[in-house]
Every structure is written in structure tokens, then in C-alpha cells.
């Protein structure tokens, strides 16, 4: 493994943080934490931690010993100083004398010892760091180390490779007992440079940031060198397994989503988001004849269980007819849930007062297709996916060297149902659209972005369809970061189909469609060319139909209802001079909305529309506002507020209207007006 320490970078960190009044030691602590965190063969998603012991002055101007340690919720790759809060060392060291300390009291003491009470909770491995008499302590769950220590003869292997330079600590769950045991191992041989925590990971330490980091790289490299001696026949086979292209993701993924979802008491569905992983290594791994044996032993390091559960579901769909696929997927998921319940009932006696977690798998392994990683949000699904990819690497290497083993069900249960994780569940509040996938056409225009903002705020995943490259480039960062953007000409039926197929591939399905793209063609109806009328029909009618058809197809497979929302216009019911080419196809779209209402209500699919007017956007441009206000002899403001409420209607008002309709569980076939009041445009 490459040692990425560079003196020049180290100096730059010191310089940068000096300006913020941060010590050289802490600057270097941040630097090597970044080096470790950015290497995903060492650290993934909060799965490691670092610390620094130093002195500081308290408010009484007294010198006190403190330790900066990683706070929970921070990612080592991008950590900054608030993510390494300082705790006073003295009270932590006092616990060495105790024979017992439960997790709640331990966390409480750690919080009480924080110098800044607003800091995040210090890591659960804080005491382990505190007890060691070294300035810098580094901890990772390095892949190569795990392949070596997830073995039945782990101690023997460690002794052979690391000699007596690393202390060996038997597996116990992180907390006070592990901190004490680790310290005891240290006392037996104070010449060590770190520890192997069996079935868990590695610690190194040193008196400088560089020394501790160098040791981490040194021992991980030793492990890598050992592994390289064994040929990895699981992921690097000669006969590379091909993806079976007969397995259509547009059929498989919505059916999996269907069978994972459950109906809430209020009639809505609890839904899941996917992250599909496919590459040559994964395909080879999934095709191995012993897949079931080595993937059913548990996780590669205990804390993965929170994200991936202990075992994946293996779906062997190879010989299943398409018309039996739904039944088969349902049966396999139900079997998985029954086994999960058994595991819960057998092991619940080991942890007091547990709340049973849902029994759905977080990883589904489908040979010749890929790994479906599952979460309530894309973020959660991606984390499960990253952990799955690391697991493929670690287990395949472990199986090449010997036999992969993990901790017992009882021990894995203690991590999965760790009281502090369970406490989080009690206060966890999910946004109302969590688990939903919303597709918005005309997504990067003013109205599209306002709709996106509302749906993101309420927890939905959002995909924007946009044909204007300029608009795509200009998408504000607060939205671009959280959505997927697909270039799509919605007047082209095949492009629409392809876009929706991509959405299914990226997220698993579609739940809410907002057909928003539109443009206002003009012309005196008696004289207007057929070309203009046809162009307008393409975008203002057919594009709505193409998108609805593509989404309906997926929604029916999911069988969890769905929402179709259309941006119509007041022109559809209240025609304006020369706006025939715009209003006529939109009037058809209004009836399109009603037709979907009629024919798909029985599937729980609702269909509604918004009639908005005079919103600053790609249709109502500054230029248009100027010329209109001039011709009416009013100011621009008067023109824009020319409604019964005398208020300008904003794009965000339209976004909120779409959100309201998406949430109105018993409303279908409705038009909501967002025009500040216009009696001529009222529906009757
Ligand atoms: Zn750990």
C-alpha cells in the first residue's frame, strides 16, 4: 500500500490551520486522518477513527490534558477540526480503575468530558484511545488485514506475519471492556507498535502523526504481501462470467421493490431505494459455487451489520420464467424475513429491551446480474453498496488464503442491537417522502428546480429530465449535489423510455412523475402554420403522454400506487388571444390527466394537474414581461401582480402546489390553480 505522506502537504496543513489558530499537532492529525479516510481500502463510511493527546487551557486558564478524538457522524476523508472534538483526559483515565461500565454511562461520561458541549458524541472507541500512552492513535478496518484475521487460525497467522510487533486482542464488542482488554495486552508487551483486534481491525500508534500513519501503512502492506502469495480464483477467474442480458432490470428491480415494500397504517407505502453494483469481479464472485457458504457466515467487520445486515439474500433467478419471477422473489424475501425473525428471537436475550428491526435484506446477490444494495435513501443504499464491494474483495482473498470466518450470531446481534443504536431509532424521524423516487421533466428550468427543491426537502429522491444543456450546466449546486440529471428530449418517445429505464437502473423504480416541460407557441389560430401547431402538440401534449406511459409501466409492476402530476396552464380553460397553439394541446393534456385518473385509480395511482399563470420562467421571460406590460400601459410590477390577490406568483408557489398534490392521498382528477386569483380561469 502506497504511503501518501508528503512533507509539502504536511506543511500546507500546518500553515492553513495556523490561520485558524489551530496547533501544529491537530493540523497534522487532520492531515493523516484525511490520508487514511481517502483510501477506501482502509476506511469506509465512518468505519475507523483517530485521536491526538495534547494539552490546552480551560476557562480558568489552567493547563489540562485533553484528547481530540473522531466524533460520530464524521467521515475521516473530509473531517475538519469540529469533527475531532477535545475531551478532558483525566475523568476518562479514572475509569481504568472500574471493573464495569455500561455503554450509556460510558457515553455520558464522554459527553460530560467534552470541552465544547455542542460537539458530536466522541467515538465509542474513545476509551481505548485514551488508555494508550501515545500522542497519536490510528484505527482502521483495512481490507487486507480483515482477509487475514477473519480466519479460524487468526492468531497463528498474525504471529507469523507481524511477529511480536502487534499485540493481539481477542474479539469483544467495542466499549469499556474492549478498552480495558486492549490496555492489558499493551501492558504485557510495551514494545508493540499497534494491535490486531481479531475479526475487527487494526490500531497503530506513535509519538508523531507520521510515525502512527507510517506504521498503519507498513502493517497493511505486510498483510497485502502475504495475500498476494495466494491466487484469488474467486474474482480473478480465467472464464470471466458474463452478465445475462436477458435479465431485464426494468422487470427485476420494480418487482424486488414491490416485494420489499409494506403498507403503512395511513395507506401509504414504506418503500426502498436501490443502488445496483455490477463489475467483472462482482459477476465472478456471484457465480462461485460456494457463494452461499462463504456469504452466510456474517460480516467482515462487526459494524457493517448496521448497514448490510449479517447476511445477504441470494436470488438465483437463472431458471425462473418471467411470469413466475414475482412469485419467486416474494417467496425468497419471505424466507429471508422468517430466518431474520428466528435470529432475532434466539438472540434477543443477549441485549435488554430491544426493538425488533425490519427483516428485509440490505443486500441482494443476483448471479449474472449484480448486487442490489438497499436503503431507505440513496445515501443508505450507496453505503451498503460500498460495503458490499469491500466485502467481495475481503472474502474472496480470505477464501483464497484459507476459510473466511466471522464472529458468532450472538456477537453480531450485540452490535446490530447495540443499545445506543437502538436509542437512535426512538428519535429517528423520516421525512414524509422518504423512499420515493420523483422524476421531473423540464427539471432544470425555473419551475422544475422549485419543484425539485420541495421534493428534496421532503425526503424524495429526485431525477431531473432536461434537454437544454445550458440549463443543465446552470443547475444550482444546492440541487445538483442531491439529484440525478438525465439529458432527455421528452418529445422523443424512445429517449423518454430510455430515461425511465435509466431511472429504474439507478434507483430501482419510479413513484412520482411530474410532467412539467412545456413551451408557449403563439399564432392567430385562423392563420397559424401546421408546423407550429404540430411542434406545440409534440411538447405540450405528446411528451406528457410518453412520460406517463413509461412511468405507468413501472408503477404497475411495483404495485405500490403512484402519482402522475401535470403542469397544465390556465390557457387550457381560459384561452388568450394568439395563444391557441399553446392552449389547445394543453387542453388535451388536461383531459389526458383525467383519462389517467379514470383508468388507473383502481391501482392506487392518482393523477392531478396544476394551472399556474404568469410565473417568471423560460415561458414568461423578462422580455415578454416588458412588452406585455408596455402594451397594457402598466408597470412590470403591476403586470406581474395583476390578479385578485395583487401578489406576484412565484416558481416556489408552483413547487409547493405540486408537493401538496403529491401528498393529498385522497385527491385525484384535480386541478389546482396557482395564479393569484383569476375568476375567468376558475374551473367550473
Ligand atoms: Zn473499529
Amino acid at each position: 500500500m502506497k504511503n501518501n505522506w508528503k512533507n509539502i502537504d504536511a506543511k500546507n496543513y500546518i500553515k492553513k490551520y495556523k490561520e485558524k489558530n489551530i496547533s501544529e499537532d491537530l493540523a497534522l492529525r487532520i492531515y493523516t486522518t484525511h490520508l487514511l479516510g481517502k483510501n477506501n481500502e482502509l476506511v469506509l463510511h465512518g468505519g475507523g477513527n483517530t485521536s491526538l493527546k495534547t494539552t490546552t487551557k480551560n476557562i480558568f486558564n489552567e493547563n489540562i490534558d485533553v484528547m481530540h478524538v473522531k466524533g460520530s457522524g464524521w467521515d475521516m476523508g473530509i473531517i475538519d477540526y469540529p469533527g475531532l472534538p477535545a475531551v478532558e483526559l483525566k475523568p476518562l483515565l479514572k475509569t481504568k480503575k472500574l471493573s464495569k461500565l455500561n455503554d450509556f454511562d460510558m457515553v455520558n461520561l464522554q459527553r460530560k468530558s467534552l470541552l465544547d458541549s455542542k460537539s458530536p458524541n466522541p467515538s465509542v472507541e474513545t476509551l481505548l484511545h485514551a488508555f494508550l500512552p501515545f500522542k497519536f492513535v490510528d484505527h482502521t478496518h483495512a481490507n487486507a488485514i480483515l482477509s487475514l484475521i477473519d480466519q479460524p487460525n487468526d492468531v497463528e497467522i498474525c504471529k507469523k506475519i507481524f511477529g511480536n510487533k502487534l499485540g493481539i486482542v481477542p474479539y469483544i464488542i467495542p466499549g469499556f471492556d474492549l478498552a480495558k482488554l486492549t490496555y492489558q495486552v499493551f501492558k504485557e508487551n510495551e514494545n508493540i507498535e499497534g494491535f490486531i483486534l481479531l475479526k475487527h481491525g487494526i490500531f497503530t500508534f506513535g509519538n508523531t502523526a507520521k510515525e502512527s500513519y507510517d506504521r498503519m501503512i507498513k502493517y497493511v502492506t505486510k498483510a497485502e504481501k502475504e495475500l498476494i502469495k495466494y491466487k484469488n480464483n474467486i474474482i480473478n477467474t480465467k472464464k470471466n462470467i458474463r452478465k445475462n442480458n436477458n435479465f431485464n432490470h426494468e422487470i427485476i428491480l420494480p418487482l424486488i421493490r414491490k416485494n420489499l415494500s409494506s403498507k403503512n397504517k395511513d395507506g401509504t407505502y414504506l418503500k426502498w431505494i436501490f443502488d445496483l453494483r455490477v463489475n467483472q469481479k462482482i459477476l465472478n464472485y456471484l457465480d462461485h459455487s460456494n457463494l452461499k457458504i462463504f456469504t452466510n457466515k456474517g460480516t467482515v467487520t462487526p459494524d457493517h451489520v448496521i448497514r448490510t445486515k449479517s447476511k445477504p439474500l441470494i436470488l438465483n433467478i437463472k431458471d425462473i420464467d418471467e411470469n413466475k419471477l414475482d412469485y419467486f422473489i416474494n417467496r425468497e424475501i419471505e424466507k429471508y424475513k422468517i430466518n431474520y425473525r428466528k435470529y432475532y428471537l434466539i438472540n434477543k436475550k443477549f441485549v435488554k429491551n430491544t426493538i425488533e428491526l425490519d427483516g428485509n435484506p440490505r443486500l441482494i446477490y443476483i448471479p449474472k446480474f449484480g448486487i442490489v444494495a438497499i436503503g431507505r435513501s440513496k445515501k443508505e443504499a450507496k453505503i451498503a453498496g460500498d460495503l458490499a464491494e469491500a466485502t467481495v474483495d475481503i472474502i474472496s482473498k480470505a477464501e483464497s488464503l484459507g476459510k473466511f470466518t466471522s464472529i458468532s450470531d450472538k456477537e453480531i446481534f450485540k452490535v446490530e442491537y447495540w443499545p445506543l443504536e437502538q436509542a437512535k431509532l426512538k428519535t429517528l424521524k423520516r421525512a414524509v417522502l422518504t423512499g420515493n423516487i420523483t422524476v421531473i421533466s423540464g427539471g432544470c428550468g425555473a419551475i422544475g428546480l422549485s419543484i425539485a427543491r420541495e421534493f428534496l426537502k421532503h425526503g424524495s429522491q429526485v431525477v431531473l429530465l432536461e434537454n437544454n444543456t445550458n440549463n443543465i450546466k446552470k443547475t444550482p449546486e444546492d440541487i445538483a449535489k442531491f439529484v440525478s440529471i438525465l439529458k432527455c428530449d421528452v418529445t422523443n418517445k424512445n429517449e423518454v423510455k430510455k430515461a425511465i429505464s435509466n431511472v429504474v437502473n439507478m434507483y430501482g423504480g419510479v413513484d412520482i412523475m411530474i410532467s412539467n416541460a412545456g413551451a408557449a407557441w403563439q399564432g392567430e389560430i385562423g392563420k397559424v402554420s401546421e408546423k407550429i401547431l404540430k411542434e406545440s402538440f409534440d411538447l405540450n401534449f405528446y411528451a406528457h403522454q410518453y412520460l406517463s406511459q413509461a412511468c405507468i409501466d413501472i408503477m404497475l409492476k411495483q404495485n405500490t400506487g403512484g402519482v402522475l402530476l401535470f403542469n397544465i396552464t390556465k390557457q387550457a380553460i381560459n384561452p388568450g388571444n394568439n395563444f391557441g397553439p399553446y392552449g389547445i394541446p394543453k387542453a388535451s393534456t388536461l383531459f389526458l390527466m383525467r383519462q389517467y385518473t379514470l383508468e388507473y385509480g383502481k391501482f392506487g395511482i392518482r393523477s392531478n394537474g396544476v394551472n399556474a399563470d404568469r410565473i417568471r420562467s423560460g415561458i414568461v421571460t423578462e422580455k415578454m414581461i416588458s412588452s406585455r406590460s408596455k402594451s397594457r400601459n402598466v408597470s412590470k410590477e403591476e403586470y406581474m401582480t395583476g390578479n385578485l390577490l395583487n401578489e406576484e406568483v412565484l416558481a416556489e408557489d408552483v413547487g409547493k402546489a405540486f408537493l401538496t398534490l403529491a401528498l393529498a392521498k385522497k385527491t385525484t382528477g384535480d386541478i389546482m390553480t396557482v395564479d393569484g386569483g383569476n375568476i375567468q380561469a376558475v374551473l367550473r
Side-chain angles (χ1 to χ4, degrees):
M1 174 165 284
K2 195 168 170 243
N3 187 318
N4 288 318
W5 175 282
K6 285 196 187 88
N7 286 334
I8 175 92
D9 291 345
K11 273 186 197 149
N12 284 336
Y13 269 77
I14 294 170
K15 207 173 125 200
K16 179 181 149 198
Y17 281 101
K18 201 176 170 188
E19 288 160 16
K20 296 181 185 172
N21 241 341
I22 281 168
S23 72
E24 198 173 312
D25 280 339
L26 186 52
L28 291 176
R29 178 67 287 175
I30 295 168
Y31 174 46
T32 55
T33 305
H34 285 173
L35 290 181
L36 297 171
K38 284 194 174 123
N39 184 339
N40 54 25
E41 289 186 10
L42 288 174
V43 168
L44 277 175
H45 302 293
N49 42 59
T50 56
S51 66
L52 158 71
K53 297 182 190 76
T54 182
T55 55
T56 189
K57 280 201 188 331
N58 64 13
I59 54 166
F60 308 107
N61 209 29
E62 300 158 337
N63 277 325
I64 49 164
D65 292 331
V66 296
M67 180 172 79
H68 289 272
V69 63
K70 199 195 91 170
S72 70
W74 279 85
D75 177 341
M76 282 170 64
I78 50 167
I79 205 161
D80 206 350
Y81 63 93
L84 283 158
V87 274
E88 200 179 339
L89 261 177
K90 210 168 147 193
L92 300 188
L93 293 177
K94 218 171 148 187
T95 64
K96 253 193 220 171
K97 291 195 205 107
L98 297 175
S99 58
K100 262 194 175 135
L101 178 63
N102 73 46
D103 290 333
F104 285 103
D105 288 342
M106 178 185 79
V107 168
N108 192 44
L109 177 74
Q110 289 174 184
R111 272 214 77 77
K112 253 173 75 182
S113 310
L114 282 165
L115 262 61
D116 179 350
S117 63
K118 294 184 295 297
S119 299
N121 269 346
S123 153
V124 349
E125 278 150 349
T126 294
L127 289 182
L128 198 163
H129 286 258
F131 291 173
L132 299 170
F134 296 94
K135 206 171 168 82
F136 291 86
V137 180
D138 295 17
H139 168 47
T140 74
H141 302 153
N143 286 9
I145 297 287
L146 292 174
S147 295
L148 287 187
I149 62 177
D150 290 347
Q151 298 285 345
N153 54 340
D154 44 10
V155 176
E156 190 190 320
I157 293 172
C158 288
K159 284 199 170 138
K160 185 183 122 197
I161 295 161
F162 306 118
N164 55 6
K165 283 293 180 192
L166 294 180
I168 297 174
V169 185
Y171 178 79
I172 45 174
I173 187 171
F176 176 70
D177 293 339
L178 177 63
K180 273 198 97 167
L181 181 63
T182 310
Y183 183 66
Q184 208 179 307
V185 172
F186 171 71
K187 288 311 274 179
E188 285 161 17
N189 175 9
E190 296 198 5
N191 294 321
I192 55 175
E193 296 179 351
F195 299 100
I196 290 292
L197 269 56
L198 294 177
K199 309 282 187 285
H200 174 167
I202 176 172
F203 274 80
T204 54
F205 38 71
N207 288 317
T208 65
K210 185 167 188 304
E211 185 177 43
S212 188
Y213 172 75
D214 284 348
R215 286 173 174 174
M216 179 64 73
I217 301 300
K218 179 170 89 181
Y219 290 112
V220 173
T221 305
K222 272 184 194 281
E224 285 178 341
K225 282 191 174 150
E226 178 65 17
L227 291 169
I228 233 161
K229 293 181 194 161
Y230 302 85
K231 223 170 147 326
N232 189 337
N233 287 324
I234 299 177
I235 57 175
N236 302 321
T237 68
K238 275 199 192 105
K239 47 163 194 158
N240 279 337
I241 301 303
R242 293 257 191 97
K243 191 167 184 244
N244 185 337
N245 290 325
N246 294 333
F247 294 173
N248 186 341
H249 69 264
E250 286 164 63
I251 295 170
I252 295 170
L253 297 180
L255 284 180
I256 295 178
R257 253 185 124 224
K258 167 186 176 179
N259 287 299
L260 290 176
S261 67
S262 50
K263 209 163 188 176
N264 296 317
K265 277 189 205 123
D266 67 357
T268 58
Y269 287 87
L270 191 151
K271 299 171 195 170
W272 300 83
I273 304 292
F274 298 168
D275 193 47
L276 181 62
R277 300 289 169 116
V278 202
N279 60 37
Q280 193 58 60
K281 285 178 180 173
I282 288 173
L283 290 173
N284 290 348
Y285 184 82
L286 296 181
D287 221 66
H288 198 272
S289 51
N290 286 341
L291 179 75
K292 204 167 181 173
I293 298 169
F294 55 67
T295 55
N296 266 308
K297 288 187 175 160
T299 55
V300 293
T301 185
D303 73 1
H304 285 197
V305 71
I306 311 274
R307 302 297 195 165
T308 65
K309 290 214 185 283
S310 170
K311 287 154 195 174
L313 164 64
I314 298 173
L315 265 186
N316 234 320
I317 57 175
K318 192 170 72 206
D319 303 318
I320 310 293
D321 282 354
E322 201 179 306
N323 58 8
K324 292 199 179 114
L325 199 56
D326 184 20
Y327 168 78
F328 176 74
I329 292 172
N330 178 272
R331 196 186 68 188
E332 295 302 301
I333 289 176
E334 287 310 311
K335 263 201 247 166
Y336 183 95
K337 283 164 124 171
I338 289 168
N339 283 331
Y340 185 81
R341 189 155 171 75
K342 271 190 207 154
Y343 153 85
Y344 175 75
L345 292 174
I346 292 170
N347 293 291
K348 69 173 191 178
K349 59 178 176 283
F350 300 117
V351 185
K352 266 185 238 160
N353 305 326
T354 51
I355 309 166
E356 186 175 353
L357 301 171
D358 74 272
N360 276 336
R362 295 297 187 272
L363 294 173
I364 299 184
Y365 288 5
I366 308 177
K368 293 193 169 60
F369 182 75
I371 294 177
V372 183
I374 300 159
R376 291 300 315 285
S377 63
K378 185 69 175 175
K379 193 176 162 201
E380 288 180 16
K382 267 189 178 161
I383 293 175
D386 287 347
L387 298 184
E389 284 205 47
T391 299
V392 167
D393 181 55
I394 294 162
I395 294 188
S396 64
K397 285 177 183 156
E399 281 284 316
S400 309
L401 173 136
K403 278 267 156 293
F404 170 72
T405 55
S406 181
I407 52 175
S408 64
D409 275 2
K410 172 184 162 184
E411 288 300 328
I412 204 94
F413 184 88
K414 278 159 66 180
V415 177
E416 191 175 0
Y417 284 83
W418 194 48
L420 294 167
E421 278 296 325
Q422 290 259 303
K424 277 189 210 161
L425 292 177
K426 286 182 196 148
T427 52
L428 179 75
K429 278 222 154 33
R430 300 273 195 186
V432 62
L433 289 176
T434 302
N436 283 279
I437 302 151
T438 301
V439 175
I440 306 169
S441 74
C444 300
I447 293 176
L449 292 172
S450 289
I451 303 169
R453 220 171 245 125
E454 290 301 324
F455 280 73
L456 283 173
K457 216 194 291 171
H458 289 82
S460 180
Q461 306 299 321
V462 172
V463 183
L464 306 179
L465 307 185
E466 176 64 57
N467 200 33
N468 183 325
T469 339
N470 232 351
N471 278 357
I472 294 178
K473 277 191 211 139
K474 282 192 296 192
T475 308
E477 204 166 315
D478 68 316
I479 291 185
K481 258 201 292 192
F482 301 106
V483 299
S484 300
I485 303 176
L486 297 177
K487 185 161 181 342
C488 175
D489 173 3
V490 283
T491 64
N492 180 324
K493 193 175 179 176
N494 287 332
E495 273 193 39
V496 172
K497 271 185 149 181
K498 224 170 104 191
I500 295 305
S501 168
N502 279 338
V503 174
V504 174
N505 204 37
M506 287 189 289
Y507 292 90
V510 181
D511 304 295
I512 301 168
M513 175 207 81
I514 299 169
S515 194
N516 165 64
W521 276 268
Q522 297 181 43
E524 190 185 324
I525 199 66
K527 294 179 181 165
V528 71
S529 72
E530 192 181 346
K531 185 173 168 276
I532 286 184
L533 212 49
K534 278 189 169 164
E535 270 175 15
S536 182
F537 260 94
D538 280 344
L539 182 61
N540 291 321
F541 174 74
Y542 282 105
H544 294 286
Q545 165 66 349
Y546 298 154
L547 192 58
S548 305
Q549 273 188 330
C551 291
I552 277 282
D553 178 45
I554 305 298
M555 287 173 184
L556 291 176
K557 284 174 192 145
Q558 292 169 165
N559 199 29
T560 49
V563 180
L564 304 175
L565 298 174
F566 300 87
N567 194 352
I568 310 175
T569 167
K570 70 123 195 172
Q571 297 288 340
I573 50 162
N574 175 218
N577 270 326
N578 293 325
F579 274 100
Y582 179 48
I584 294 163
K586 284 285 197 174
S588 306
T589 298
L590 192 153
F591 275 80
L592 181 76
M593 177 277 279
R594 289 182 174 173
Q595 202 66 37
Y596 276 103
T597 304
L598 175 70
E599 294 184 28
Y600 292 93
K602 58 178 176 284
F603 301 105
I605 296 171
R606 297 184 288 109
S607 173
N608 294 292
V610 167
N611 276 4
D613 195 25
R614 262 181 236 183
I615 319 287
R616 290 177 203 265
S617 66
I619 295 180
V620 181
T621 58
E622 272 306 310
K623 208 173 131 196
M624 190 190 252
I625 297 167
S626 278
S627 77
R628 291 279 184 82
S629 49
K630 247 180 227 158
S631 74
R632 292 185 194 193
N633 219 359
V634 293
S635 72
K636 282 199 261 181
E637 282 66 43
E638 279 168 324
Y639 174 72
M640 289 309 283
T641 57
N643 55 47
L644 296 172
L645 295 173
N646 297 320
E647 298 257 18
E648 179 175 341
V649 187
L650 306 173
E652 66 175 80
D653 296 315
V654 183
K656 287 196 165 78
F658 277 110
L659 178 75
T660 305
L661 287 171
L663 296 177
K665 288 179 303 211
K666 305 289 163 66
T667 300
T668 186
D670 187 44
I671 292 285
M672 183 179 277
T673 53
V674 190
D675 56 8
N678 173 1
I679 207 70
Q680 283 80 27
V682 168
L683 252 79
R684 65 205 83 182

